[in-house]
Structure formats: C-alpha cells, structure tokens
Amino acid sequence: MNRTIARRIASNAYALRIPRKAISSQAPGNDVSSLPACPSHEHEVKQSLKSDVQPQYDVAIVGGGMVGMALACSLARMPLTKQLNVAIIDSNPALQNKLIIKKEDPPDPRVSTVTPSTISLFKDVGAWEYVLQNRHAFFDKMQVWDYTGLGYTRYEARDIDKEALGCVVENKVLHYALLSCMQNTEFQKTIYPSRLTSMAVPRSFSSTRLDSTSSTTTLNNQGNLAKLDLSDGSSLYAKLVVGSDGGKSHVRELAGFKTTGWNYPQNAIICTVEHTVENQCAWQRFLPAGPIALLPIGDKFSNIVWTMSPKEASDFNSMKEDDFIKAVNHALDYGYGPHPKSSLLGNGDIFSWLRADATSSARESFEVPPKVLKLASARMVFPLSLRHANDYASKCVALIGDAAHTVHPLAGQGVNMGFEDAFALSKVIAEGIAVGTDIGEVSLLKKYEAERKPANIMMMAVLDGFQKAYSVDFGPLNVLRAAAFNGAHYISPLKRSIISYASGEQKLPLFS
C-alpha cells in the first residue's frame, strides 16, 4: 500500500511540472511554486494557465514608423542589446508584408532630407546599403534666397570638405531599409498589428509627473513592468515602453507627459514634380507667406514643400495642374520680387572687405532653379505646429521622434532629430545592460533625456526663429534679414558653423 501511495505522489509531482518555455513567457507574479499541489495532468495545467499568461518583453515600441524602426534596428545590431525580446505595436500592413518598391514608379511625395550625421548612423547599423539599392539623391550644394532680392546665400559641401550636404530619400525607402536591416538579424521581435488602447505603469516618486486626470494606473502586483492593452483584446508586459507614435502620441497622453507648443498659421503643400533636366541642388526661397523648397529626389524628379496660409494652401491644392505648375515656377523665379543681384551682391557692397576670406561658394553667382514641367504625384496638404514634451522619460516610459517634438519643416530637420533620439536611446539601453541596471529605471532613461533634450530645444528655437523672422514683411526688418543672409554668405567661420550644425556634426550652433 505504501509503495502504491508513493508511486501516485511521484506521478502527481511529475504531472505538475511546467515546461521551461511556458515559465519564461509567464507574466510576473504568476509564480508556479504558488500553485496548489493537487493531482492533475500536464495538459490540464497548461490549459489553466493559458488564460492567465500574458507575454513579457524587454522593450515595447509603440509605433513602427521610420523612427521606431530605427530604434529596433539599432537594438538588433548592438552586441549588448541584440538578445533583447522586443514587441513592435503598429497596425501598418508594411510591417507584416515586405514592401515592394518599384524603381519605375514616380517618387512618393513624402520624403526626408537626411543629414551626413544620420547617414553615418544608418551605416553603423547596416541600413544605408538598403537605401542605396533604391532611389535617392545626394546634393552637394544649396541655394537660399528671399523675395526682396536682398538676402542670398549659397552653401556647398566643399566649404566643409565634404562630398555631400545631405541626401533626399522617400520615407517608404527609409522605412524599408530599416525594416530589411532588422529582419536580416536573429533579433527576437514580435509584431502586433494592433493599436494601444490603455497602459498601466509602476509609479515612481522620483519620476512621476502624473496628475489625477491621467488615465495611467498604478500596477500593484507586476513589479517594475508596464502593462499594455491592445485594440484586439490582447495584453502584454514590458520593462520599457517607447512612444514613437507621432505628434499625437497615445503613449505620451497615457503616460501623463505635458507638452508646450502652438499651431502655426500655416499649412504645407507637398508633391513630386518633374523637370526636363536632372536637379542636383537643394533650393529654398523665403516668400511673404512662407518658404518654398525644391529638393532633388533622383532622375528628373524633385520634391516640393511649399508653406503658406491655410486658405492659400486650399486654393493651390484645388487649382488645375497647369495653373499650379505656373504658380510654382513663378514662386521660384521672378515671382514676389527680383533675383538677388542688388548692390548688396555687386562690387563695392558692404561685405566686400570679407571677400578675401570668403568660401569658394560665396564667389558663385545666383542661379535660377530648373523649370518644373509637370506634376508627378498628387498634392498633399498638412498643418504645421511646434510641440515639445516637457519630459522625455519617466518610469518605464521614453518618448522619441515626433512623440517628443514636432518642428516646422523649413530646414527638413524633424526626422533627423527623431533618428538621433532613437540611436541615443538604444545606446543608453546598452549602457544600462552593461552595468546591470533595469532598462526601465528612470535614472537611466533620464540620461537619454539629458543628451537629447537640449539639442532638440536648440534646433527648435533656431527653426522657430526663422519662421517668425519671415512672418513679417517690414522694410527695416527686411534689411536686417538681408544683412544676416549675406553675413552667412561671406563670413567663412560663420558659414562653416552653420553648415556643420545643419549637417548634425556640431551639437550647438555657431561658435560653441
């Protein structure tokens, strides 16, 4: 009898053993040792745990756009982070099905101007080779002027001994490159084709800025993990939640981050246009209602970003194609004012004493941009705003990209700021792993904030200053603006500092 009882006890003990895989995927707090020691079968134990077990990840990236994928790609490539288990939450079908880019198709109007600094970051993680396989356009010169005919400057890569000032790439190509780079690794990732509906994070007295109106709740029994509920009814846990879900970030809202900012009284029209010749220069002209930019995108195509009042944007968006093309050429040529060939640029001007030390590009004369022949895409209109999160990090949560900051597109710096955020955060995560720190610990995440926040604020201030300076058409102010333009054109140290700052190679502007 005693032997029979012993065999039954041993049999029951074996039946209660839980496979290693099931344990590793359990939500914290579901301790197997706390299960009642009652007779059962292994499959019955599995069934009883199935409804309670929710997946746990090291990092949950909410938003799988370009900036979110940059973070994932960087984590996948660094030795200390490539073993992390990462969830990517985004309903974009491109994350599930490999995007097919046909070179014969006209360029998409949604493009980004990536700086040499961003290009270097892409090369470091192996993503740039995928960009080079698709359409892109390097440019080694940029011409900027205003409608008064007084302000003019020209930048060239040779002024700072570089081969290019930047590269214009379609957003879908950048996204494809980062996604391809990540997929060609053994990175442990799970893509959830869903949306975040609610989030609960552990409260931290050192990092909390949540108020009573926040929809974030405190986790009482999940330790240092955040819980995310998705629109498909599923839930998951993560040590760190990264909000890369754009200017209207749901993560930012749920985590209780406050923002500062305003909407500009401007909209932007973007579209792809075609020329009879290839464009190899980036052009920008400041008009009374806002700047117009003509950016090379490869072959005989260029991208237009034209800022104007919402009423004008609506009118230009709805006008016939021929009329719109005439308006674009008018704005890039003699429209609104003369070419910059006044006495300020002639012999004996007030900057003539600087010419001995001027850069080579300062001796180049004004050029008229290539004529636009026809539209190659639909026109798109979007409102402009400046928005900045007062904090980038709290317990278990960090913001990157537009979730942390949105800027005016006049210098094309927004996405570069986001990429810098993503790569900086990945390095901070690696540093935390190296010293055994919880990657959701607020003191660690604040290191990321301390690195990126001052740089982003400085860039936002510069861009906002340009926007405001050209929002007023006033004679004396026009002269001051022209003087600043020409100073940037002729004063070599100033010009080199401006180019280096815009290229992302100098963290603070001018002579710092």
Side-chain angles (χ1 to χ4, degrees):
M1 177 67 71
N2 290 338
R3 291 180 181 178
T4 301
I5 294 174
R7 282 198 297 270
R8 288 180 179 177
I9 292 175
S11 176
N12 290 339
Y14 177 83
L16 284 172
R17 289 194 305 171
I18 309 299
R20 185 182 303 273
K21 183 177 179 180
I23 294 174
S24 66
S25 64
Q26 289 183 80
N30 289 339
D31 188 356
V32 176
S33 64
S34 66
L35 290 173
C38 57
S40 179
H41 295 289
E42 186 172 353
H43 74 276
E44 291 176 344
V45 174
K46 287 182 179 179
Q47 285 296 112
S48 66
L49 291 175
K50 186 176 181 181
S51 60
D52 297 327
V53 173
Q54 292 161 322
Q56 175 183 324
Y57 298 91
D58 296 300
V59 182
I61 302 173
V62 182
M66 293 186 293
V67 173
M69 292 309 304
L71 174 62
C73 186
S74 183
L75 293 175
R77 290 284 176 163
M78 290 195 298
L80 288 174
T81 59
K82 65 182 182 180
Q83 302 301 325
L84 294 178
N85 195 6
V86 175
I88 302 171
I89 301 165
D90 196 309
S91 57
N92 185 352
L95 295 179
Q96 296 287 334
N97 305 310
K98 193 172 181 66
L99 180 65
I100 299 176
I101 300 177
K102 298 179 181 179
K103 293 184 178 180
E104 62 271 19
D105 289 343
D108 191 272
R110 290 161 293 195
V111 306
S112 295
T113 303
V114 290
T115 64
S117 177
T118 295
I119 292 171
S120 179
L121 292 172
F122 269 57
K123 288 180 178 178
D124 288 345
V125 298
W128 191 246
E129 62 183 88
Y130 297 97
V131 174
L132 296 179
Q133 295 170 10
N134 293 278
R135 182 167 39 219
H136 60 280
F138 287 99
F139 60 93
D140 61 0
K141 57 185 177 181
M142 181 175 186
Q143 179 175 283
V144 185
W145 73 109
D146 73 4
Y147 62 92
T148 66
L150 302 177
Y152 164 76
T153 190
R154 187 182 183 89
Y155 304 108
E156 293 196 10
R158 60 186 178 181
D159 292 335
I160 55 171
D161 300 320
K162 297 290 184 181
E163 293 183 357
L165 293 175
C167 186
V168 184
V169 189
E170 294 163 73
N171 289 353
K172 67 180 183 181
V173 171
L174 290 171
H175 192 249
Y176 163 83
L178 292 163
L179 184 59
S180 298
C181 177
M182 183 191 68
Q183 288 177 334
N184 288 335
T185 67
E186 297 180 355
F187 193 48
Q188 300 179 65
K189 64 184 182 302
T190 304
I191 297 175
Y192 287 83
S194 189
R195 293 177 292 103
L196 176 68
T197 56
S198 64
M199 180 174 70
V201 298
R203 189 174 299 279
S204 170
F205 294 107
S206 61
S207 64
T208 290
R209 287 184 179 244
L210 308 179
D211 58 25
S212 59
T213 62
S214 173
S215 58
T216 305
T217 58
T218 304
L219 293 174
N220 294 320
N221 61 347
Q222 299 299 338
N224 289 324
L225 299 181
K227 181 185 179 184
L228 292 83
D229 297 318
L230 308 184
S231 57
D232 62 3
S234 63
S235 298
L236 59 96
Y237 291 91
K239 296 177 182 177
L240 172 62
V241 179
V242 179
S244 59
D245 48 345
K248 297 180 180 179
S249 171
H250 200 33
V251 171
R252 185 182 67 211
E253 177 187 355
L254 291 174
F257 290 105
K258 303 301 181 184
T259 62
T260 301
W262 49 82
N263 296 324
Y264 290 114
Q266 294 174 318
N267 284 0
I269 290 183
I270 63 172
C271 60
T272 303
V273 296
E274 190 172 352
H275 312 283
T276 56
V277 296
E278 184 173 358
N279 177 26
Q280 296 179 325
C281 177
W283 315 82
Q284 187 165 52
R285 189 185 188 195
F286 285 88
L287 303 176
I292 180 172
L294 181 73
L295 307 172
I297 190 61
D299 300 325
K300 296 180 180 179
F301 296 107
S302 289
N303 183 261
I304 292 282
V305 182
W306 193 353
T307 302
M308 58 188 70
S309 71
K311 174 65 168 60
E312 288 177 311
S314 177
D315 292 341
F316 277 94
N317 189 44
S318 59
M319 68 173 49
K320 294 180 180 179
E321 179 178 335
D322 289 345
D323 294 333
F324 179 76
I325 295 301
K326 288 178 182 177
V328 168
N329 287 324
H330 183 69
L332 290 168
D333 201 342
Y334 274 112
Y336 304 94
H339 290 167
K341 51 186 178 183
S342 67
S343 61
L344 278 174
L345 297 174
N347 293 326
D349 65 62
I350 60 176
F351 292 98
S352 60
W353 61 278
L354 294 167
R355 288 184 173 177
D357 185 47
T359 58
S360 57
S361 64
R363 300 181 181 91
E364 299 290 336
S365 59
F366 173 81
E367 290 185 54
V368 178
K371 294 290 183 183
V372 173
L373 184 64
K374 63 180 180 179
L375 279 173
S377 77
R379 285 160 279 181
M380 303 175 68
V381 178
F382 57 93
L384 305 179
S385 64
L386 180 146
R387 198 78 55 201
H388 188 252
N390 297 345
D391 296 282
Y392 289 11
S394 66
K395 179 69 174 177
C396 293
V397 183
L399 303 178
I400 60 176
D402 284 357
H405 44 75
T406 56
V407 297
H408 198 286
L410 65 85
Q413 290 293 332
V415 73
N416 293 289
M417 295 164 64
F419 286 141
E420 293 277 359
D421 292 346
F423 289 105
L425 179 59
S426 66
K427 289 179 180 178
V428 167
I429 292 172
E431 290 172 5
I433 293 173
V435 296
T437 302
D438 180 0
I439 63 173
E441 180 57 46
V442 66
S443 60
L444 177 69
L445 299 176
K446 284 294 181 179
K447 291 182 180 179
Y448 152 71
E449 179 178 309
E451 176 183 347
R452 292 302 305 150
K453 191 174 181 181
N456 288 335
I457 289 176
M458 182 62 71
M459 179 62 78
M460 295 176 80
V462 170
L463 299 179
D464 187 58
F466 268 104
Q467 191 278 332
K468 285 180 167 53
Y470 276 89
S471 296
V472 180
D473 187 9
F474 179 59
L477 181 58
N478 293 345
V479 174
L480 289 174
R481 289 194 306 238
F485 259 111
N486 286 276
H489 188 63
Y490 286 114
I491 303 174
S492 295
L494 177 62
K495 179 177 239 182
R496 293 188 182 101
S497 291
I498 291 172
I499 298 173
S500 295
Y501 180 55
S503 299
E505 298 180 350
Q506 188 168 307
K507 296 306 179 185
L508 295 176
L510 309 183
F511 300 102
S512 62

